[in-house]
Amino acid sequence: MVGSRGFPALAFLLALVSVAGASGPTSIFIDQIEEYKLLATCAELELSTIVRNMKWGCGDGGSYQSFTCFCYESSAKFSSMIGAHVMTQCPDDPSQNTTALEVFSSYCDIGGSKLAEIAGE
């Protein structure tokens, strides 16, 4: 059962999903985030494999609608996955883990803003 706190968030999510579906593909790419360029190669490769290549889920067959899966349906799962992979690949630079998670968070924030703009049109 969804509590009164969860209902507005759920309603917003459902509205975004329906708008994204009705409006067609929404191109939101993680490498458009300014901080993405600051990532060390070890972190960039992991983030790219997980999000850009959709290696472990949220694949959409090239229709550019995977944003909703990454950021609303499975954000905790992917944040955890990104953190674990980057930590493993960049053991000598723990700051890369933080930066990669910030990039993912910014990606979700910007994508949410873009979808909200579409909803307001």
Side-chain angles (χ1 to χ4, degrees), residues 27-86:
S27 300
I28 303 168
F29 302 106
I30 199 162
D31 61 341
Q32 294 172 333
I33 305 302
E34 191 66 32
E35 292 81 11
Y36 186 88
K37 297 174 187 113
L38 302 176
L39 292 168
T41 301
C42 59
E44 187 274 331
L45 288 172
E46 293 305 309
L47 196 57
S48 183
T49 298
I50 294 168
V51 180
R52 293 178 72 197
N53 297 343
M54 297 177 263
K55 175 97 174 171
W56 289 287
C58 294
D60 61 6
S63 65
Y64 304 112
Q65 296 176 346
S66 60
F67 167 81
T68 302
C69 175
F70 280 115
C71 294
Y72 291 105
E73 297 169 8
S74 306
S75 65
K77 170 187 168 185
F78 284 100
S79 289
S80 178
M81 185 183 299
I82 290 165
H85 283 250
V86 172

Side-chain angles (χ1 to χ4, degrees), residues 99-118:
T99 304
L101 291 171
E102 288 172 354
V103 168
F104 182 67
S105 178
S106 294
Y107 164 72
C108 291
D109 290 346
I110 288 173
S113 296
K114 285 185 179 185
L115 290 177
E117 285 175 22
I118 291 168

